[in-house]
RNA sequence: CGGGGUGUAGCGCAGUCCGGUAGCGCGCCUGGUUUGGGACCAGGAUGUCGGAGGUUCGAAUCCUCUCACCCCGACCA
């Protein structure tokens, strides 16, 4: 390929809206352009990268025994109503209506469609197991699309769905997919980590996420360097403190703390350590069902956390009565507790309020908390003496660096990651909802066991750049580089010697199957170098009159500090050997 | 959905407070000189100032509405 015939719109400056490095570089290098919020065109150079990722994903899926198919992007509402997800998925799903006023959605995922295929076609255990996958455009109407293709609304996903006659076989395939994913990300040259994960909206039992490690990642990961424990912070268990709660040693005292509405500021005022404080979060739990006792009333809960800890909403929502909880409004707080937010505490709350303490908060003695009187806090507070023991003690908080690993084999660290893959054991959730059954070897009708496995193909490109770049631009891992070699022909339009040598090398490399981009523009060297470096092509061969007079060219890897001179007659073999290595 | 911000040439921005008929850098076009790290000189093209309405002799600028985009939040009281 020649730059003069390619489409390589590079930018010196990125549009102002792009703030993340990978987003800026993808725009500047001419990989993508924005059409609208969360909507991106993949330009030719970017598409080549996307195709590289797809090819590796496809190769490893095929190798793992999965079979590719292609399902419609537009899906009828009826399927989603069968599983109840037409309502559950909410505004994240783009709903559309055809000319007959029938409801459809642009598929955000394909469990319903693939389960529909399975229930129509799979009848016998002899047809199992089966793993079907596709690489396709999805649409999810994200609350806040951002970071370019990292969190776009329209994106490319590989989604696979497996069907099994038994849970044991599902677990085998789950492991098989886990291994295939590890091979994919290894081949792509990414620093990644698999972590235990929450199953979220997709549902099911076991689940792991694959994250590309990057400081800009939106997820926090907890891992233990001295064991193999790794989990998304959403899921990571905060174990109870090893030492029992000390005996009370101070009297409970009400102290004025005007204007001090955070644990930090209260502790600062009182000269106490933050770990000695308790914050109380007022939330409204699941309303009783219509017709049940107390229907319509919003049950308030007070969640207690140590001052230095943060609430894990996913954990909290799993507690009885807290499914789908929300934070109480200021009006609700004042009505129930008689105090404005900022001075809330568990002492003397009405019996209608259920107090749930995090394990670490429950282990405190002589702690500081709000007095439920505006402008005052309490010190020296003790459970069992100044207030009842909490109605429930639970794991409510996010783990922090230094917490003990839940497997008891070390101490947790926190890293940030970009989620690029997710594997789930769905079990029979969708099969039962949609009546997807098979006859087992005893002639019994059974619901299919299912697994599902996703890879964010387009997100991988952004994640890889986030992890592989320098001050000059992208540094693509070889497996996903749009071209393997760039030829910078200095004076291509002026020098017969340069043109002949560049054309010959270009043609020879292409004949060998090497993906080569010849910069044959009438540009000054600095412009060519800057553009070629920006695009992240791993190797650059520079041909100019200066070198050719001595019979040599210069070759430089994108990570090399300086070029290497190689004889013109040997460069083809030289670079081929490097690429094969 | 709440809060904040920004919309002016392809990109980055100034001009808006204080109304007088639009500018800078890069890019683009033409010619010339250059040619191993984003060249130089000369000439040139490009804007319904996001949109609609209003105020005014006159609106990028003031007012109203609206759209788009970005950031933060929607959890720690």
């Amino acid at each position: 390929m020649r730059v003069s015939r390619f489409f390589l719109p590079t930018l010196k400056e990125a549009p102002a809206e792009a703030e993340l490095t990978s987003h800026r570089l993808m725009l500047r290098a001419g990989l993508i352009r924005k059409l609208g919020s969360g909507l991106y065109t993949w330009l030719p150079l970017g598409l080549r990268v996307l195709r590289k990722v797809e090819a590796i994903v496809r190769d490893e899926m095929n190798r793992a025994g999965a079979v590719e198919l292609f399902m419609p992007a537009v899906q009828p509402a009826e399927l989603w109503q069968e599983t109840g997800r037409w309502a559950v998925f909410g505004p994240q799903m783009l709903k559309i209506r055809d000319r007959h006023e029938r409801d459809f959605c642009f598929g955000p995922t394909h469990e319903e469609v693939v389960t529909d295929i399975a229930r129509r076609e799979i009848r016998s255990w002899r047809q199992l197991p089966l793993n079907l996958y596709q690489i396709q455009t999805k649409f999810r109407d994200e609350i806040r699309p951002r970071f370019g293709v990292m969190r776009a609304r329209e994106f490319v996903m590989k989604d696979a769905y497996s069907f099994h006659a038994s849970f044991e076989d599902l677990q085998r395939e789950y492991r098989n997919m886990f291994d295939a994913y590890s091979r994919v990300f290894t081949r792509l040259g990414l620093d990644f980590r698999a972590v235990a994960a929450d199953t979220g909206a997709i549902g099911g039992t076991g689940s792991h996420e694959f994250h590309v490690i990057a400081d800009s990642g939106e997820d926090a990961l907890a891992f233990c360097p001295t064991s193999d424990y790794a989990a998304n912070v959403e899921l990571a268990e905060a174990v109870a403190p090893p030492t029992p709660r000390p005996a009370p040693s101070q009297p409970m005292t009400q102290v004025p703390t005007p204007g001090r509405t955070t644990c930090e500021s209260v502790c600062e005022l009182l000269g106490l350590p933050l770990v000695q404080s308790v914050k109380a979060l007022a939330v409204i739990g699941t309303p009783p069902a219509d017709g049940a006792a107390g229907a319509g009333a919003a049950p308030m809960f007070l969640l207690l956390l140590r001052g230095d800890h943060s609430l894990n909403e996913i954990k909290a929502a799993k507690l009885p009565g807290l499914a789908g909880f929300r934070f109480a409004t200021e009006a609700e707080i004042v009505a129930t507790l008689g105090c404005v937010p900022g001075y809330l505490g568990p002492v003397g709350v009405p019996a209608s309020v259920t107090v749930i303490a995090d394990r670490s908060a429950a282990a405190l003695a002589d702690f500081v908390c709000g007095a439920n009187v505006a402008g005052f806090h309490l010190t020296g507070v003790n459970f069992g003496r100044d207030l009842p023991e909490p109605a429930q003690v639970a794991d409510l908080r996010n783990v922090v660096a230094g917490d003990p690993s839940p497997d008891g084999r070390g101490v947790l660290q926190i890293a940030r990651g970009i989620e690029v893959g997710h594997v789930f054991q769905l079990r029979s959730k969708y099969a039962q909802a949609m009546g997807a059954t098979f006859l087992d070897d005893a002639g019994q009708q059974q619901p299919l066991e299912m697994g599902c496995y996703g890879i964010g193909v387009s997100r991988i490109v952004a994640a890889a750049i986030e992890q592989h770049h320098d001050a000059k631009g992208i540094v693509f891992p070889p497996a996903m580089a749009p071209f393997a070699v760039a030829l910078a022909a200095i004076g291509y339009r002026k020098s017969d010697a340069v043109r002949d040598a560049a054309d010959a090398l270009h043609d020879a490399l292409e004949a060998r199957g090497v993906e080569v981009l010849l910069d044959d523009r009438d540009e000054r060297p600095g412009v060519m170098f800057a553009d070629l470096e920006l695009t992240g092509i791993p190797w650059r061969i520079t041909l100019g009159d200066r070198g050719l007079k001595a019979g040599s060219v210069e070759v430089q890897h994108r990570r090399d500090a300086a070029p290497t001179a190689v004889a013109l007659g040997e460069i083809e073999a030289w670079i081929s050997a490097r690429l094969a290595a």
Side-chain angles (χ1 to χ4, degrees):
Chain A
M1 181 57 66
R2 291 155 186 275
V3 172
S4 61
R5 281 196 241 140
F6 201 59
F7 185 52
L8 192 67
T10 57
L11 300 171
K12 273 191 179 178
E13 292 179 285
E17 75 229 21
E19 51 159 21
L20 198 67
T21 301
S22 59
H23 187 194
R24 296 176 64 83
L25 289 176
M26 289 182 80
L27 290 165
R28 288 189 54 212
L31 269 54
I32 57 170
R33 285 294 182 266
K34 185 173 78 167
L35 177 64
S37 178
L39 305 173
Y40 287 86
T41 294
W42 288 81
L43 298 177
L45 194 72
L47 186 62
R48 291 182 74 101
V49 180
L50 192 67
R51 296 286 188 238
K52 291 285 173 66
V53 177
E54 284 181 10
I56 288 174
V57 170
R58 186 173 275 121
D59 188 51
E60 290 296 340
M61 289 302 290
N62 292 344
R63 181 190 306 227
V67 192
E68 188 169 8
L69 82 174
F70 196 65
M71 293 180 269
V74 174
Q75 309 176 13
E78 286 75 11
L79 276 182
W80 290 77
Q81 285 156 350
E82 281 190 56
T83 59
R85 290 209 296 177
W86 184 256
V88 170
F89 230 90
Q92 186 132 229
M93 187 156 68
L94 179 64
K95 293 171 180 170
I96 49 187
R97 197 163 273 179
D98 72 3
R99 62 166 67 194
H100 304 296
E101 298 288 300
R102 283 193 283 247
D103 288 315
F104 292 84
C105 66
F106 195 108
T109 178
H110 281 246
E111 282 81 10
E112 278 78 0
V113 176
V114 79
T115 304
D116 182 63
I117 291 168
R119 71 178 168 184
R120 292 169 189 272
E121 311 300 336
I122 295 177
R123 291 170 199 84
S124 163
W125 65 277
R126 294 176 192 279
Q127 293 169 276
L128 300 172
L130 180 65
N131 189 336
L132 300 173
Y133 80 96
Q134 63 175 348
I135 296 175
Q136 196 217 29
T137 298
K138 302 282 192 263
F139 190 97
R140 295 182 187 175
D141 203 353
E142 296 281 348
I143 297 176
R144 189 141 83 84
R146 60 187 129 177
F147 308 147
V149 298
M150 190 80 85
R151 181 171 293 281
R153 295 196 293 175
E154 189 175 307
F155 60 99
V156 178
M157 183 177 184
K158 188 284 300 176
D159 46 325
Y161 307 89
S162 67
F163 301 91
H164 308 273
S166 68
F167 182 39
E168 290 68 34
D169 195 56
L170 166 59
Q171 288 177 304
R172 176 203 52 75
E173 182 66 6
Y174 184 82
R175 187 72 223 178
N176 182 39
M177 284 292 107
F178 188 101
D179 293 342
Y181 275 32
S182 298
R183 288 196 300 271
V184 166
F185 299 121
T186 300
R187 278 180 65 181
L188 287 170
L190 300 174
D191 176 20
F192 72 99
R193 189 180 287 272
V195 302
D198 188 71
T199 51
I202 304 289
T205 51
S207 173
H208 285 85
E209 292 168 351
F210 287 78
H211 286 263
V212 169
I213 302 302
D215 289 340
S216 59
E218 292 189 273
D219 285 280
L221 314 177
F223 65 97
C224 177
T226 53
S227 74
D228 58 2
Y229 181 84
N232 194 305
V233 163
E234 290 178 347
L235 186 73
E237 182 184 5
V239 299
T243 51
R245 182 198 295 163
S249 66
Q250 301 171 11
M252 183 168 79
T253 310
Q254 181 166 316
V255 296
T257 53
R260 305 282 173 152
T261 62
T262 65
C263 287
E264 288 81 357
S265 64
V266 169
C267 288
E268 183 194 339
L269 176 73
L270 301 177
L272 293 169
L274 190 57
V275 297
Q276 207 54 36
S277 64
V278 166
K279 59 183 160 192
L281 311 181
V283 303
I284 303 300
T286 323
D290 288 347
M300 181 177 285
F301 290 75
L302 211 53
L303 307 181
L304 305 184
L305 291 166
R306 216 170 69 185
D308 59 322
H309 287 152
S310 63
L311 178 66
N312 181 312
E313 293 188 50
I314 289 172
K315 291 177 181 177
K318 288 175 180 168
L319 297 176
L322 284 178
F325 78 90
R326 62 173 172 81
F327 283 81
T329 63
E330 182 158 344
E332 288 168 333
I333 291 170
V334 171
T336 305
L337 299 172
C339 174
V340 295
Y343 307 96
L344 301 184
V347 179
V349 298
S352 64
V353 176
T354 307
V355 175
I356 303 179
D358 178 67
R359 290 163 172 171
S360 297
L364 291 176
D366 300 324
F367 60 84
V368 182
C369 63
N372 290 324
V373 177
F376 291 90
H377 281 75
L378 300 170
T379 63
V381 182
N382 285 276
F383 289 112
R385 184 191 73 182
D386 307 317
L387 72 164
E389 291 291 339
Q392 188 179 354
V393 176
D395 176 17
L396 284 178
R397 69 176 176 91
N398 289 319
V399 295
V400 295
D403 277 344
S405 174
D407 64 5
R409 291 161 57 200
V411 171
L412 292 180
Q413 291 186 6
I414 306 289
R416 299 203 69 85
I418 300 164
E419 183 188 347
V420 290
H422 203 159
V423 294
F424 299 85
Q425 295 170 21
L426 293 177
R427 304 296 310 265
S428 299
K429 175 179 169 172
Y430 295 93
Q432 281 179 337
M434 296 180 62
T437 61
F438 70 101
L439 289 180
D440 67 17
D441 55 4
Q444 297 293 307
Q445 195 170 65
Q446 304 277 3
L448 287 161
E449 290 275 358
M450 287 176 61
C452 81
Y453 319 92
I455 289 181
V457 175
S458 44
R459 178 180 285 180
I460 283 174
V461 178
I465 293 168
E466 204 57 40
Q467 203 172 64
H468 297 276
H469 66 267
D470 63 17
K472 293 175 175 174
I474 302 168
V475 185
F476 272 118
M480 58 200 298
F483 292 93
V485 179
L487 303 183
I490 296 171
Y492 184 89
R493 309 281 171 104
K494 303 289 193 302
S495 162
D496 290 344
V498 168
R499 190 176 61 250
D500 292 347
D503 285 347
L505 182 55
H506 168 268
D507 294 349
L509 288 174
E510 276 202 342
R512 280 178 177 259
V514 174
E515 292 177 301
V516 55
L517 182 67
L518 167 59
D519 195 340
D520 57 347
R521 295 175 296 179
D522 190 20
E523 288 286 358
R524 297 171 64 87
V527 174
M528 286 194 278
F529 295 158
D531 276 347
L532 295 175
E533 281 156 353
L534 181 61
T535 59
I537 296 171
W539 291 96
R540 185 181 79 216
I541 298 172
T542 305
L543 304 95
D545 275 325
R546 198 174 78 184
L548 290 176
K549 277 177 190 158
S552 70
V553 298
E554 286 168 11
V555 59
Q556 184 169 4
H557 188 267
R558 185 61 180 75
R559 292 194 185 282
D560 289 347
T564 304
V566 174
L568 178 61
E570 293 167 17
I571 185 61
E572 183 188 341
W574 192 96
I575 194 70
S576 298
R578 299 304 160 111
L579 294 173

